[in-house]
Amino acid sequence: MDAQEGTQQSQQLILAHKVFLLKHRDVPDIEKVRLKDEVLNTVKSNYMTPYYENLVADKVLDLDHSVLDSMRAKNEEEIKKIDEKIADAEENLGESEVREAHLAKFLYFIQIGEKEKALEQLKVTENKTVAVGQKMDLVFYSLQIGFFYMDFDLISKSIDTAKNLFEKGGDWERKNRLKVYEGLYCMSTRNFKKAANLFLDSISTFTTYELFPYDTFIFYTVLTSIISLDRVSLKQKVVDAPEILTVIGKIPHLSEFLNSLYNSGLTEQIKMDRCLHLHFRFYMREIRTVVYSQFLESYKSVTIEAMAKAFGVTVEFIDQELSRFIAAGKLHCKIDKVAGVLETNRPDAKNALYQATIKQGDFLLNRIQKLSRVIDL
């Protein structure tokens, strides 16, 4: 994919986001007309025949046989040229030139949206690659393919491959870039805590512009941190972080959301985000958990009516909400229905550790007893 080097987002990932918006039911029709033209122009300029056929099958674009035929002819012409270069390199040149020719074919398959052939050609190119750095670059291309198609199995395997390669060597710049890729994968698969930690580790070393601009990176970092960090850590690592302070004002609604945990404008941004939209309801539940926890921190006990009034909702709503969160272990309090009172019972960290140790000890003893019975037999 393009933009492997430099400060520009990959054109393929920009295209994928536009296609996502075209399929989104909340995007206005007038906006979809513009997006459709932009998607078609990108597809035609990159001769993306296989991807065009997929979009036609999904009813995102209309079938134009003349466009399809011209793109297919161009693909055949380019692949023939590349195959001739590969044959020439294998016959007359060295291993480095052979690898470069195979790499060109791999990148061309990515360009035209030929996923399966690109992955087949990736294996051929990997076999021609010796240097760890070059192998890592191939993994990054593989990760970009994964994010283009939202193929989480491919992304997960590619991350594991990258980590194995780093055991053999690898520079810090590529290691830091991998953190952002893994963070995006974790966020996209609802592991917000790990995503937040990986993003925060990458704030001062961010160079992964092929995935998204720095503003988007900060947007993801703040969103994942809010529901993952305690208040002290959030203030130290996010609220007061100079790297975030310099950018957060440029991102609509984000500063207000970070400081007040309320802004309807930001919820629309989450709904329209390709990586976050599937987790919108889950994320908003987590946000409500954070808000309720912060409210209850100030009280040993509080009436349900007072809490409902503070949030501008009915007593019945807050009762149902809190019951769900308490049952799920998200909130540490209990409801006295008779008195209409909430009583907090904050967990003691030492007591929790003690209970966990006892539980693990019982589990270990049970395993030992089972093992001893097997040995006795």
Side-chain angles (χ1 to χ4, degrees):
M1 286 190 177
D2 50 9
Q4 180 74 13
E5 301 295 337
T7 59
Q8 295 297 313
Q9 187 180 10
S10 160
Q11 290 301 308
Q12 272 86 353
L13 294 182
I14 293 173
L15 172 63
H17 184 65
K18 289 178 179 178
V19 170
F20 160 74
L21 293 176
L22 264 178
K23 295 178 179 179
H24 203 296
R25 64 183 181 183
D26 293 338
V27 174
D29 289 341
I30 189 72
E31 179 71 8
K32 286 186 176 181
V33 171
R34 181 185 63 81
L35 287 167
K36 196 171 185 177
D37 286 341
E38 292 178 1
V39 167
L40 182 58
N41 288 335
T42 301
V43 168
K44 286 163 65 176
S45 63
N46 287 288
Y47 303 100
M48 302 178 74
T49 308
Y51 193 61
Y52 177 72
E53 290 174 320
N54 291 338
L55 293 179
V56 169
D58 291 342
K59 294 182 169 53
V60 175
L61 294 178
D62 301 319
L63 177 61
D64 184 327
H65 286 288
S66 62
V67 170
L68 182 62
D69 291 342
S70 65
M71 289 196 300
R72 189 173 284 147
K74 180 67 174 177
N75 293 161
E76 291 171 358
E77 179 188 337
E78 285 298 316
I79 291 169
K80 184 180 178 183
K81 285 180 184 176
I82 294 172
D83 283 339
E84 287 172 357
K85 287 182 180 178
I86 290 172
D88 179 58
E90 288 177 340
E91 188 175 340
N92 303 309
L93 303 172
E95 292 180 358
S96 176
E97 288 79 8
V98 171
R99 179 194 176 275
E100 289 301 314
H102 279 289
L103 176 63
K105 189 173 184 180
F106 167 56
L107 295 177
Y108 187 71
F109 282 139
I110 294 177
Q111 178 189 315
I112 64 175
E114 184 69 271
K115 180 186 176 185
E116 299 308 321
K117 288 186 178 179
L119 294 176
E120 289 172 11
Q121 186 61 32
L122 170 62
K123 292 177 182 177
V124 176
T125 310
E126 281 176 340
N127 292 334
K128 307 289 182 183
T129 305
V130 177
V132 173
Q134 290 179 334
K135 286 186 176 183
M136 273 304 309
D137 289 339
L138 292 177
V139 174
F140 284 124
Y141 283 125
S142 177
L143 284 165
Q144 288 178 46
I145 295 172
F147 281 115
F148 181 67
Y149 292 99
M150 282 300 186
D151 183 340
F152 294 124
D153 184 53
L154 174 60
I155 295 168
S156 178
K157 288 176 180 176
S158 298
I159 289 171
D160 290 340
T161 300
K163 289 180 178 178
N164 289 333
L165 283 171
F166 280 136
E167 291 178 4
K168 302 173 185 176
D171 57 83
W172 282 106
E173 192 269 338
R174 288 185 175 93
K175 287 182 179 180
N176 288 328
R177 286 175 61 206
L178 181 64
K179 286 182 182 179
V180 180
Y181 277 89
E182 187 177 3
L184 183 60
Y185 166 70
C186 290
M187 186 187 76
S188 301
T189 53
R190 205 176 281 185
N191 189 348
F192 291 114
K193 186 173 182 62
K194 188 173 182 180
N197 290 330
L198 288 164
F199 286 152
L200 288 167
D201 282 348
S202 309
I203 282 184
S204 59
T205 58
F206 179 83
T207 57
T208 321
Y209 295 101
E210 69 274 12
L211 271 186
F212 36 59
Y214 190 62
D215 289 7
T216 303
F217 170 67
I218 293 299
F219 175 72
Y220 289 155
T221 302
V222 171
L223 288 189
T224 53
S225 297
I226 286 173
I227 61 172
S228 303
L229 303 182
D230 59 68
R231 294 181 74 175
V232 175
S233 299
L234 186 67
K235 180 167 175 57
Q236 289 175 346
K237 297 180 179 180
V238 180
V239 176
D240 295 337
E243 295 91 350
I244 291 176
L245 288 172
T246 56
V247 176
I248 197 168
K250 302 175 186 176
I251 306 168
H253 314 299
L254 189 58
S255 181
E256 299 94 317
F257 189 70
L258 175 60
N259 291 295
S260 66
L261 293 179
Y262 176 81
N263 196 296
S264 58
L266 197 74
T267 62
E268 291 305 307
Q269 287 177 250
I270 297 171
K271 284 182 182 178
M272 296 294 177
D273 188 275
R274 186 167 170 253
C275 296
L276 286 171
H277 75 287
L278 290 174
H279 313 299
F280 173 73
R281 291 182 181 278
F282 174 85
Y283 184 82
M284 297 316 295
R285 282 199 301 270
E286 292 298 298
I287 284 293
R288 294 203 300 277
T289 303
V290 172
V291 172
Y292 294 149
S293 296
Q294 291 185 4
F295 177 85
L296 292 170
E297 275 180 13
S298 305
Y299 301 94
K300 187 175 177 63
S301 65
V302 62
T303 65
I304 300 175
E305 186 179 355
M307 188 170 178
K309 190 175 181 180
F311 288 103
V313 296
T314 64
V315 171
E316 291 75 17
F317 176 82
I318 206 77
D319 183 38
Q320 290 178 359
E321 279 267 283
L322 295 179
S323 297
R324 268 204 320 269
F325 290 139
I326 292 168
K330 298 280 188 181
L331 291 176
H332 303 289
C333 61
K334 59 183 180 179
I335 300 174
D336 184 338
K337 293 280 285 185
V338 176
V341 171
L342 281 166
E343 296 179 2
T344 58
N345 52 352
R346 299 181 190 90
D348 182 338
K350 286 186 179 179
N351 188 48
L353 182 61
Y354 174 71
Q355 294 297 333
T357 304
I358 290 176
K359 190 174 181 180
Q360 290 168 1
D362 287 342
F363 176 74
L364 181 60
L365 284 172
N366 288 335
R367 294 293 296 272
I368 291 172
Q369 286 172 355
K370 288 178 182 178
L371 182 62
S372 65
R373 285 197 291 267
V374 172
I375 293 172
D376 288 342
L377 289 174

